[in-house]
């Protein structure tokens, strides 16, 4: 009754993806107790068929306490207070970013270890058990996100805006399940490229180590 007079709009043209290149930005701020690091690269856009693969790659890398970064950098080496990866998907582009909070004198070492994990995903296939665990994590997150009415309606609106149709839960779960270890390695080889890796950091001390650490896989 209230919206019947509205005319359908025209879908926005996503245009061309932004020109992406590697970079480094280090800033200092006094009285910080730790150094905050973001190391990231490009990822497929929100409507890409590779979005499910990207979510699994991010989960394996730094999604939760069983992820590679949490186990290798935080638990085994004790180098960070917090570390995780996050996936930001938009209509024209996306980004995969690793955040870490660490002591000032450990920052360069943390960056180096994260880059090694990038390289490992490029060269080695994810083990079957690790991939299965990541799939269960992602599928569980999807199902939990649909439990409330507000989140379900937001989910439906996003689908209509970005995909032009509604996806059934079974379709989403099946798409996650179809991703293979080879798909993840292929995506890792494309996005973890030296030409698109970018490092930003905020620290309270001289950041000479972060200014000189090599950003390549």
């Amino acid at each position: 009754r209230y919206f019947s007079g509205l005319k359908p709009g025209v879908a926005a043209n996503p245009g061309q993806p932004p020109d992406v290149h590697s970079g480094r930005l280090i800033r200092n701020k006094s009285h910080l107790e730790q150094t905050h690091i973001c190391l990231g690269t490009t990822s497929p856009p929100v409507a890409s068929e590779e979005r499910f693969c990207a979510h699994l790659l991010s989960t394996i890398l730094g999604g939760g306490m069983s992820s590679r970064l949490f186990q290798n950098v935080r638990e085994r080496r004790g180098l960070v207070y917090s570390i995780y990866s996050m996936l930001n998907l938009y209509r024209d582009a996306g980004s995969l970013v690793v955040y870490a909070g660490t002591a000032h004198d450990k920052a360069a070492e943390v960056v180096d270890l994260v880059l090694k994990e990038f390289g490992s995903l490029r060269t080695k296939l994810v083990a079957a058990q690790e991939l299965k665990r990541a799939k269960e994590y992602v599928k569980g997150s999807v199902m939990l996100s649909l439990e409330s009415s507000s989140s379900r309606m937001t989910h439906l609106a996003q689908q209509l805006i970005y995909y032009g149709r509604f996806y059934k839960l079974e379709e989403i779960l099946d798409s996650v399940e179809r991703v293979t270890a080879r798909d993840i390695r292929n995506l890792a080889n494309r996005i973890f490229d030296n030409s698109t890796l970018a490092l930003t950091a905020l620290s309270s001390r001289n950041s000479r180590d972060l200014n000189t650490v090599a950003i390549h896989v």
Side-chain angles (χ1 to χ4, degrees):
R1 188 165 78 247
Y2 294 109
F3 302 118
S4 61
L6 294 177
K7 296 181 179 180
V10 178
N13 185 348
Q16 294 297 318
D19 183 25
V20 180
H21 54 81
S22 62
R24 185 191 317 247
L25 179 63
I26 314 297
R27 293 287 175 84
N28 294 324
K29 184 178 181 180
S30 61
H31 309 303
L32 287 179
E33 296 183 356
Q34 56 182 300
T35 295
H36 302 275
I37 300 166
C38 281
L39 180 62
T41 185
T42 59
S43 77
V46 67
S48 169
E49 289 300 318
E50 289 185 304
R51 63 187 182 276
F52 305 104
C53 184
H55 278 290
L56 287 170
L57 189 155
S58 180
T59 299
I60 291 167
L61 179 64
M65 292 185 291
S66 63
S67 67
R68 295 185 177 188
L69 290 175
F70 191 94
Q71 288 297 318
N72 295 338
V73 183
R74 186 182 188 276
E75 294 296 288
R76 294 175 187 165
R77 291 181 171 85
L79 293 174
V80 295
Y81 304 99
S82 174
I83 189 166
Y84 56 86
S85 63
M86 47 190 165
L87 199 60
N88 307 295
L89 305 183
Y90 305 100
R91 186 185 293 273
D92 60 343
S95 66
L96 189 155
V97 181
V98 171
Y99 165 82
T102 184
H104 305 297
D105 59 342
K106 303 295 183 183
E109 184 179 0
V110 170
V111 171
D112 185 59
L113 289 170
V114 173
L115 290 168
K116 286 181 178 178
E117 293 297 340
F118 288 177
S120 177
L121 285 166
R122 281 169 54 102
T123 57
K124 300 176 183 177
L125 291 174
V126 176
Q129 187 60 33
E130 186 178 22
L131 179 56
K132 179 181 179 181
R133 185 167 61 241
K135 287 180 177 180
E136 293 304 315
Y137 182 93
V138 170
K139 290 190 290 186
S141 298
V142 171
M143 289 186 284
L144 287 173
S145 70
L146 300 178
E147 286 194 342
S148 72
S149 298
S150 59
S151 62
R152 182 177 287 270
M153 292 309 297
T154 300
H155 183 71
L156 290 172
Q158 289 174 337
Q159 287 188 339
L160 191 59
I161 291 170
Y162 290 122
Y163 313 129
R165 75 176 186 90
F166 300 121
Y167 283 83
K168 295 180 180 178
L169 177 60
E170 292 75 14
E171 288 183 89
I172 298 173
L173 301 183
D174 287 345
S175 296
V176 173
E177 194 59 45
R178 285 198 300 270
V179 176
T180 66
R182 193 173 298 277
D183 293 333
I184 293 174
R185 187 178 66 179
N186 290 342
L187 179 60
N189 267 286
R190 197 167 75 253
I191 68 174
F192 293 139
D193 186 88
N194 296 333
S195 65
T196 58
L197 293 176
L199 170 68
T200 62
L202 186 63
S203 179
S204 66
R205 297 189 183 178
N206 189 312
S207 304
R208 182 177 58 187
D209 290 345
L210 285 176
N211 276 309
T212 58
V213 65
I215 308 176
H216 62 74
V217 293

